[in-house]
Amino acid sequence: MKLTADLKKLLGLGGDSNEHAGRVFVLDGDDAVGHRVLERLVDAEYELIRVGSKTVAEPTTSGGSLVETVPFDFLKEGTYPAALKDVKTVFVTLPVAPANWDVHFPAFVKACESAGVTRIVKLSFYHAVQSKAENRNKYFGESWAYMPSHEGFHDVPLVHKHALCDGDLILHPDFEVTLLFATHLMSNVFRNGVERKALKEKEEFYGASRGKGVNYVSPNDVADIAVKAIMEKEHKRQAYTLCGPAAITDDAVANLLSHQLDQTITFVEKPFDFFDTDTAAFEKIKASGVEETFTQGDFKHVMGREPETFEDYLAATTRMTSVEQETMLFVETTPQKTTEAMTTEQTPVIAQ
């Protein structure tokens, strides 16, 4: 179970940093961050990797027999015990749908406890819970108390649910927990349903940021710090805020996409009610301009390098999921529509 030297150097890992991790279970290998965590572990030739899948009926192996894929569906609690058998460390990414996914989290925590899991690294959202700096005496402290963070972020139902799940882990006495509070993933433009559809069909992407700077973080950075947290003991009972290097407007993102894809990509402002409840709440936060004040968070302190820019993310195609790669390839190889054709095709969209 030895990480290759080059990858250890890139991730800043110590000599025997992986000895305590044991069998690592990645809940979802198709998730933007879960996929990258899985690939890093495979590239490092880590030997005890398990990944959950909703599409397999029986356990299978791949990646030179390094990866065991097992049936797992977070919404089906009966899949928990077998998936967690002999697992010591879990990397948790959670589904965004259906809306009641959070009701299963206590059962998952209980299943981890029953299986003897000791390490949990969970991806959460920026400001879901107060940072250690904001709540130094209580956060992962002697009182085992925690506090939700800024109210604006808890207007997003998804963030509030994550905060409650984070609290379950913070208050649990038996787990070595690391929480990763990430801002908006750069990969969203290629993976989120509405944005992906608009990009593929109209060479557009949608938002309601009203010209304000948005803080996007690279899923590559999130995955790298997750692997470091999995492999090194010093990150237990810690929480890290993960941001991009600086806020960027969505118009600027469209320009970067245009350059990378060799197509003219246009950012289109939409009314808040165009989006689903969670997305609309996120867009209101973007439009407030508060993200222009976000600092770079903890990434440089932990990883020893600057966080990736949007250009860096777009260039790192080999680390992308199949969905990201397929969307990029589709847009790159689709003949550019004329302005007249695009205008004819545009029809009103009713928010669901």
Side-chain angles (χ1 to χ4, degrees):
M1 293 192 300
K2 297 298 183 183
L3 291 171
T4 57
D6 289 345
L7 196 54
K8 274 191 173 184
K9 182 176 180 180
L10 178 64
L11 297 177
L13 298 174
D16 295 320
S17 57
N18 62 322
E19 293 302 316
H20 78 295
R23 188 178 303 280
V24 177
F25 178 47
V26 179
L27 262 64
D28 186 354
D30 294 324
D31 173 84
V33 178
H35 166 83
R36 288 163 165 87
V37 168
L38 182 64
E39 290 299 305
R40 275 292 195 229
L41 293 173
V42 170
D43 290 343
E45 299 178 0
Y46 194 76
E47 297 173 2
L48 296 174
I49 312 169
R50 182 176 294 164
V51 61
S53 173
K54 291 186 287 188
T55 61
V56 300
E58 298 290 338
T60 61
T61 57
S62 61
S65 299
L66 291 175
V67 181
E68 179 191 16
T69 303
V70 298
F72 180 81
D73 186 338
F74 189 77
L75 304 179
K76 298 179 179 178
E77 296 176 8
T79 64
Y80 296 174
L84 291 168
K85 183 180 179 182
D86 299 325
V87 168
K88 189 172 182 181
T89 301
V90 177
F91 177 62
V92 179
T93 54
L94 293 171
V96 296
N100 68 338
W101 61 265
D102 56 307
V103 302
H104 299 279
F105 194 74
F108 181 74
V109 171
K110 183 67 175 178
C112 287
E113 182 181 343
S114 298
V117 171
T118 58
R119 287 279 292 126
I120 296 179
V121 179
K122 179 183 175 296
L123 178 60
S124 186
F125 284 90
Y126 189 83
H127 279 173
V129 177
Q130 281 189 341
S131 70
K132 199 168 186 178
E134 293 168 325
N135 191 19
R136 187 169 296 277
N137 293 327
K138 294 184 178 180
Y139 190 76
F140 280 142
E142 293 293 332
S143 65
W144 300 101
Y146 82 102
M147 295 177 63
S149 189
H150 304 280
E151 291 183 0
F153 289 86
H154 282 250
D155 290 338
V156 184
L158 194 64
V159 175
H160 184 69
K161 291 174 182 177
H162 270 279
L164 297 177
C165 296
D166 295 343
D168 287 346
L169 295 179
I170 291 170
L171 299 175
H172 199 288
D174 298 328
F175 295 139
E176 298 175 354
V177 176
T178 306
L179 297 175
L180 306 177
F181 298 121
T183 57
H184 316 284
L185 294 178
M186 294 173 183
S187 51
N188 287 349
V189 67
F190 294 127
R191 292 182 58 92
N192 285 1
V194 171
E195 292 180 337
R196 182 169 177 251
K197 187 173 188 289
L199 192 63
K200 292 178 68 173
E201 295 184 358
K202 300 179 183 296
E203 292 88 39
E204 297 175 346
F205 85 97
Y206 300 152
S209 52
R210 305 299 188 260
K212 303 296 185 180
V214 180
N215 195 290
Y216 291 103
V217 65
S218 170
N220 301 324
D221 287 344
V222 179
D224 285 353
I225 204 169
V227 171
K228 194 173 180 70
I230 288 168
M231 295 298 170
E232 293 184 340
K233 290 183 178 181
E234 66 190 70
H235 303 288
K236 67 181 181 180
R237 305 204 69 74
Q238 296 292 327
Y240 299 122
T241 294
L242 306 181
C243 301
I248 181 174
T249 66
D250 283 327
D251 281 320
V253 171
N255 290 335
L256 294 174
L257 290 170
S258 298
H259 177 76
Q260 178 70 29
L261 302 175
D262 197 25
Q263 299 274 27
T264 300
I265 307 300
T266 305
F267 172 67
V268 179
E269 287 276 0
K270 293 290 186 179
F272 294 126
D273 61 6
F274 172 86
F275 302 99
D276 63 80
T277 302
D278 283 306
T279 304
F282 276 126
E283 294 299 321
K284 288 178 182 178
I285 292 173
K286 295 177 184 178
S288 74
V290 67
E291 298 190 21
E292 296 178 339
T293 67
F294 289 177
T295 64
Q296 289 189 8
D298 297 307
F299 184 81
K300 184 177 181 179
H301 168 71
V302 176
M303 298 299 299
R305 61 177 173 84
E306 298 291 337
E308 285 189 349
T309 64
F310 220 114
E311 296 99 316
D312 295 331
Y313 159 71
L314 291 173
T317 56
T318 58
R319 296 195 66 183
M320 292 183 175
T321 63
S322 59
V323 172
E324 292 165 83
Q325 292 176 340
E326 184 271 334
T327 304
M328 288 186 70
L329 180 62
F330 184 93
V331 176
E332 285 176 325
T333 56
T334 299
Q336 189 80 50
K337 296 181 177 67
T338 65
T339 302
E340 180 180 358
M342 291 175 66
T343 303
T344 302
E345 290 179 9
Q346 290 176 0
T347 57
V349 179
I350 300 175
Q352 299 298 312

